[in-house]
């Protein structure tokens, strides 16, 4: 299956996804909603793409002017697709890919607010969304944490979202670390 980059430098370009159902790529309309809400926060940003899969979110950020993206994905087939996509778009100098568990990666960076924006689309069946919210609250790793999760499984901490929208069965929510408050459109 191929996904399309929605806008920016690579707008219209196609990227690969791993075969099978183990990876659930973010729909184009949902990616567009994320980046419309982020607006002018993306150009010049240092971005983290957790549970990156094929890298669609992070590559969309690069296409829209992010300075650098760190991709974190542990699945070998998804990681292979991610590496191919970085190569096809020729963005290796603006991207680093890590094949490891998202929380293991964050254990090295938590508390340092190393990223302007963290994008995360964890498996819907996992407890990763509420864990990420809590970790960024206690040991901030990003000024703005952007999460996608199943509508029926809204994390209890979801009440703290500074921005939240539903798209069918999908919910998008943005959370700020304490020292970096404000709605994402306020900048």
């Amino acid at each position: 299956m191929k996904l399309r980059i929605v806008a920016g430098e690579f707008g219209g370009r196609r990227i690969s996804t791993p075969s099978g159902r183990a990876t659930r790529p973010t729909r184009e309309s949902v990616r567009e909603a994320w980046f419309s809400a982020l607006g002018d926060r993306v150009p010049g940003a240092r971005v983290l793409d957790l549970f990156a899969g094929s890298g669609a979110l992070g590559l969309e950020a690069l296409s829209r002017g992010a300075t650098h993206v760190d991709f974190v994905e542990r699945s070998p087939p998804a990681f292979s697709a991610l590496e191919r996509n970085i190569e096809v778009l020729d963005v290796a100098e603006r991207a680093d890919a890590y094949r490891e568990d998202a929380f293991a990666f964050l254990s090295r960076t938590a508390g340092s607010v190393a990223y302007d924006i963290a994008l995360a689309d964890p498996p819907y069946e996992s407890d990763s969304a509420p864990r990420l919210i809590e970790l960024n609250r206690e040991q901030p790793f990003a000024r703005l944490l952007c999460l996608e999760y199943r509508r029926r499984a809204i994390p209890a901490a979801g009440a703290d979202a500074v921005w939240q929208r539903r798209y069918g069965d999908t919910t998008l929510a943005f959370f700020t670390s304490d020292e970096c408050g404000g709605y994402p459109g306020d900048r």
Side-chain angles (χ1 to χ4, degrees), residues 19-182:
S19 60
R21 300 184 67 137
T23 303
R24 174 191 40 80
T26 300
R27 293 186 333 254
E28 187 176 306
S29 60
V30 175
R31 277 185 285 125
E32 179 60 33
W34 267 24
F35 286 94
S36 291
L38 286 168
D40 69 352
R41 288 183 177 263
V42 178
R46 181 161 174 82
V47 176
L48 174 62
D49 186 353
L50 295 168
F51 306 95
S54 63
L57 291 170
L59 293 169
E60 189 77 45
L62 285 172
S63 183
R64 293 170 184 246
T67 303
H68 189 89
V69 176
D70 283 343
F71 296 89
V72 181
E73 174 55 55
R74 73 176 184 181
S75 161
F79 191 79
S80 291
L82 169 61
E83 287 185 312
R84 278 191 311 276
N85 291 332
I86 288 170
E87 183 179 329
V88 164
L89 294 178
D90 194 26
V91 293
E93 72 285 347
R94 296 168 45 202
D96 288 306
Y98 300 89
R99 188 174 151 219
E100 67 180 296
D101 175 77
F103 291 98
F105 178 86
L106 289 173
S107 71
R108 295 191 309 275
T109 61
S112 66
V113 190
Y115 300 95
D116 299 303
I117 301 168
L119 307 168
D121 181 9
Y124 278 0
E125 310 77 42
S126 74
D127 67 345
S128 297
R131 287 176 61 200
L132 287 170
I133 294 166
E134 190 62 31
L135 181 61
N136 201 46
R137 182 182 300 125
E138 292 177 0
Q139 299 177 316
F141 54 88
R143 298 175 65 78
L144 186 64
L145 171 62
C146 307
L147 278 172
E148 176 180 337
Y149 49 88
R150 178 174 279 143
R151 182 174 145 188
R152 293 186 302 271
I154 294 175
D160 297 335
V162 295
W163 181 89
Q164 189 169 356
R165 297 290 183 277
R166 290 190 194 114
Y167 302 89
D169 193 37
T170 298
T171 298
L172 300 181
F174 295 173
F175 302 85
T176 58
S177 57
D178 288 339
E179 72 267 15
C180 310

Side-chain angles (χ1 to χ4, degrees), residues 10-25:
F10 308 119
R13 298 272 307 267
R14 301 253 178 218
I15 59 171
S16 299
T17 61
S19 60
R21 300 184 67 137
T23 303
R24 174 191 40 80

